[in-house]
Amino acid sequence: MPYDFSVTGKAARERIPVPNLSIDAVRSASRAATQRNRTQRFALSALIVLASLGAAVAAARIYGGVHIWLSGGKAAATVRSMVVLKYPMASDVQRITLSATFPVVMPVGLPPGTRIRQIMYSPSAHPNTMFVQFQSVTGAYKGGFFLLDPSSVDPDTTTLPAATRPSLREVEQWKIGGETVLVLKDTFANDAASIKAQMSATSPSESLAASEDMLWRIEILGQATSAVTDRAERLAPPSSRSILLDRGHLKSLVGLLAQNKPMLDAREVFLNDIPQTNNGPDYMKAKYVWPKTVAIDTHGLRAIAAALRTSGKAATNCNCEVLFNRPNDTAYWIWLIPQTGSAPVAKFSVDATTFAVTRLRE
Amino acid sequence: MTRWAPPELVSSALNRNEWAVEELIAAIWPGCFRLAATILGDRDLAQDAAQEACVIVHRKIGSLRSPEAFDAWLYRIIMRQTARVRRRQRVSDRVAGLAPSAADDSTAIDVWRALAELSPEFREVTVLFYFDDLKTEEIAATLGVRHATVRTRLARSRAKLRHILGDYEDRFDPMTGETPQHAV
């Protein structure tokens, strides 16, 4: 008997009983997966740091949040805790260096256009270890410097654990007053001698002032892209706090407004209780803590949404990044900066009470 | 036009409206589960694959550029999840087949039996083509294989179905990939 395979199959499939779906389970699994994803990104960043650290610290044993053993060509690292801060500003570096256990001389004399991409430090309260990571003028990773408290560096390598680290790489090492500096020989190879000379002739406060050009003048939430951040830094008023939101953060705007939640400053993350395995620290099982620092409150988010509406764009597909500033108590300033370098920037003033939007000429 | 859910619901979900995302998941769930069940031939595995597909939709719907892309995107997710479950569970190539429901007549039972006889690759293209009415180009994009591969698999699958079911009558031309009338 001929019959229609498609029709019969479709009808039979429609009769398959469907179990109930728990939307709560989906929601929580989705959040857990997002958290895992964030964790993996941070773990990758931390692994880059640690790979450099393991390779760099010839005969170093650092106490506190990070502990390194070395023997011959092999090293093992125990990392109990650390803090990773992306796109640091001068105020961030001042806070970290003031709480450090040693007088921190920041790297100076780096090639023009070099920026500090992130700083890893440990322990969080009073760091004796800092890793300052740079990016080139194009935004490419460019290696970094370890700044260490000399009293926490121990050349004794007799108590190596069974675990091993990747093979060592050659390092340049020098001491400036109360600081030990380590830099991989293959990064800043041409500039190491000049950097060393300039750091040696610089005091901690002078080095902090000198490194301001390498620090960020605005708070960058998300991923910095050179073309947009350069424009944003030029546009941002120097006298008040400015925040740049990348597309990822813009996409979360609708959800945050619906839940009446502020946008948090996620530039800094604390990794605590990092478990140790035979293969070294297991970052995936570390406890990740993001401080609950508010970057933009709910009123500020409403102002951004109002500016986007006026421009006829949606937060999810405006192909732009947003620079946010509050010049005074009565207004917000919002800039929509296109991701393509040549397109014009749109600037809006949003009334802080009525959220009425006025387009301004830049 | 989307086949899984009303376009306006998909649009709202794309804008990360939490309510719309959850409504969308509720709307697609039966279809996700039934498609996975048809491919995997096992309710528990299908529930696993379909639920994971919904989790991915919940997480990533905001990254989709337009509502028009939703159908193809969802098919890709479901097929990847069924493949993942199959790999993890080491489901054998020939599945037991879904237990027929009480309402199934003998022809429906024959359909399940025939699908169970097909290898996973053949079953995938057969289900997407005959049950979901996807074009062969769309199936190729969904499964990440060449168009010619899909046509070959369909042709072989058809031959095998004809052998299993006997009364096979099909107007599909695998060389042209014309939309079928699906008669067997």
Side-chain angles (χ1 to χ4, degrees):
Chain A
M1 180 186 71
Y3 59 90
D4 190 307
F5 181 71
S6 173
V7 172
T8 308
K10 285 174 184 170
R13 189 164 75 171
E14 284 304 304
R15 286 195 292 271
I16 296 174
V18 178
N20 289 330
L21 171 70
S22 161
I23 196 72
D24 286 340
V26 171
R27 208 183 291 131
S28 62
S30 170
R31 284 180 188 149
T34 304
Q35 182 66 22
R36 270 201 306 278
N37 191 264
R38 269 175 154 181
T39 303
Q40 282 164 348
R41 285 207 301 271
F42 271 103
L44 180 64
S45 142
L47 281 171
I48 291 168
V49 172
L50 261 292
S52 307
L53 192 61
V57 190
R61 187 176 180 185
I62 304 162
Y63 295 98
V66 181
H67 196 144
I68 301 288
W69 288 270
L70 291 151
S71 179
K74 292 182 179 177
T78 301
V79 185
R80 300 191 191 288
S81 66
M82 65 175 173
V83 185
V84 181
L85 171 66
K86 286 170 72 178
Y87 307 120
M89 300 170 70
S91 55
D92 298 313
V93 176
Q94 200 163 26
R95 167 176 58 86
I96 296 165
T97 54
L98 281 176
S99 63
T101 60
F102 61 104
V104 179
V105 178
M106 293 292 287
V108 290
L110 280 87
T114 305
R115 306 292 296 262
I116 297 177
R117 176 184 284 191
Q118 64 180 21
I119 295 178
M120 164 268 192
Y121 60 95
S122 180
S124 59
H126 297 291
N128 58 23
T129 307
M130 284 176 66
F131 178 73
V132 185
Q133 192 183 39
F134 295 92
Q135 65 180 43
S136 70
V137 68
T138 60
Y141 170 70
K142 204 166 164 41
F145 288 69
F146 293 94
L147 312 177
L148 311 168
D149 183 342
S151 66
S152 68
V153 178
D154 185 348
D156 177 12
T157 59
T158 56
T159 54
L160 257 177
T164 57
R165 302 298 305 166
S167 59
L168 297 171
R169 285 149 66 189
E170 285 187 281
V171 295
E172 195 78 50
Q173 178 179 348
W174 65 85
K175 202 171 168 195
I176 304 166
E179 175 181 272
T180 296
V181 182
L182 296 171
V183 58
L184 294 175
K185 272 195 170 170
D186 55 3
T187 54
F188 302 105
N190 300 328
D191 306 298
S194 145
I195 293 168
K196 179 180 174 182
Q198 292 192 51
M199 284 180 77
S200 301
T202 309
S203 71
S205 56
E206 287 168 347
S207 75
L208 187 58
S211 59
E212 275 199 10
D213 279 350
M214 297 189 292
L215 294 163
W216 304 84
R217 289 182 284 282
I218 54 177
E219 287 179 36
I220 297 170
L221 302 188
Q223 210 60 38
T225 48
S226 309
V228 176
T229 48
D230 287 352
R231 286 177 104 174
E233 286 191 316
R234 282 198 299 273
L235 292 166
S239 54
S240 51
R241 184 184 180 203
S242 297
I243 299 164
L244 181 66
L245 310 183
D246 75 347
R247 286 184 62 194
H249 276 74
L250 268 184
K251 283 184 175 178
S252 68
L253 187 70
V254 177
L256 289 172
L257 283 170
Q259 296 168 59
N260 200 31
K261 287 183 177 171
M263 185 170 284
L264 300 179
D265 179 359
R267 291 177 307 137
E268 193 168 42
V269 61
F270 289 66
L271 281 80
N272 297 324
D273 303 334
I274 302 169
Q276 304 301 310
T277 68
N278 286 340
N279 296 318
D282 185 353
Y283 298 104
M284 303 304 289
K285 291 182 180 163
K287 194 171 158 190
Y288 285 70
V289 179
W290 279 267
K292 303 278 184 197
T293 313
V294 172
I296 303 175
D297 63 16
T298 49
H299 294 286
L301 296 181
R302 284 183 66 189
I304 295 172
L308 284 166
R309 262 198 310 276
T310 302
S311 73
K313 291 175 176 167
T316 46
N317 60 4
C318 78
N319 287 327
C320 65
E321 298 189 17
V322 164
L323 178 64
F324 171 89
N325 179 273
R326 186 162 193 189
N328 53 53
D329 287 347
T330 60
Y332 298 97
W333 283 351
I334 314 286
W335 290 262
L336 306 187
I337 306 176
Q339 292 193 303
T340 49
S342 54
V345 173
K347 181 181 178 183
F348 301 90
S349 174
V350 182
D351 188 285
T353 311
T354 63
F355 296 100
V357 182
T358 311
R359 186 162 188 154
L360 303 176
R361 292 173 70 90
E362 186 51 52
Chain B
M1 182 63 197
T2 64
R3 71 174 75 197
W4 288 91
E8 57 275 16
L9 182 58
V10 177
S11 295
S12 297
L14 250 66
N15 289 324
R16 297 209 172 190
N17 177 332
E18 186 71 15
W19 171 86
V21 172
E22 294 185 2
E23 282 289 303
L24 177 66
I25 287 170
I28 64 173
W29 166 248
C32 287
F33 174 78
R34 287 182 174 131
L35 174 56
T38 317
I39 300 286
L40 292 165
D42 182 291
R43 289 180 57 83
D44 290 339
L45 297 182
Q47 188 163 359
D48 182 355
Q51 183 162 324
E52 191 55 34
C54 289
V55 170
I56 293 170
V57 170
H58 189 277
R59 273 183 68 208
K60 299 190 173 174
I61 183 78
S63 65
L64 208 57
R65 286 193 175 272
S66 70
E68 291 72 34
F70 181 73
D71 282 354
W73 182 65
L74 184 55
Y75 271 116
R76 274 198 301 277
I77 292 172
I78 298 169
M79 299 315 287
R80 279 187 197 144
Q81 289 312 309
T82 56
R84 174 189 64 82
V85 166
R86 206 168 52 223
R87 275 197 307 275
R88 198 185 64 199
Q89 298 291 333
R90 300 191 179 175
V91 175
S92 65
D93 282 355
R94 291 179 65 179
V95 298
L98 284 173
S101 74
D104 279 343
D105 57 20
S106 63
T107 54
I109 293 168
D110 281 346
V111 168
W112 295 134
R113 180 173 60 83
L115 282 177
E117 290 286 320
L118 297 177
S119 70
E121 292 79 14
F122 286 12
R123 199 180 314 126
E124 283 172 350
V125 295
T126 305
V127 168
L128 292 177
F129 188 80
Y130 286 102
F131 295 6
D132 289 272
D133 294 332
L134 294 193
K135 294 176 181 166
T136 48
E137 295 91 336
E138 293 171 328
I139 297 172
T142 298
L143 298 176
V145 298
R146 293 169 55 217
H147 186 205
T149 306
V150 172
R151 290 191 302 186
T152 306
R153 285 180 187 171
L154 266 179
R156 290 183 184 167
S157 175
R158 187 180 65 151
K160 189 150 189 177
L161 287 171
R162 183 187 287 136
H163 175 74
I164 297 165
L165 296 171
D167 301 324
Y168 195 97
E169 181 189 303
D170 187 8
R171 287 165 228 155
F172 166 61
D173 179 353
M175 298 310 292
T176 61
E178 288 300 315
T179 308
Q181 298 303 311
H182 304 319
V184 173

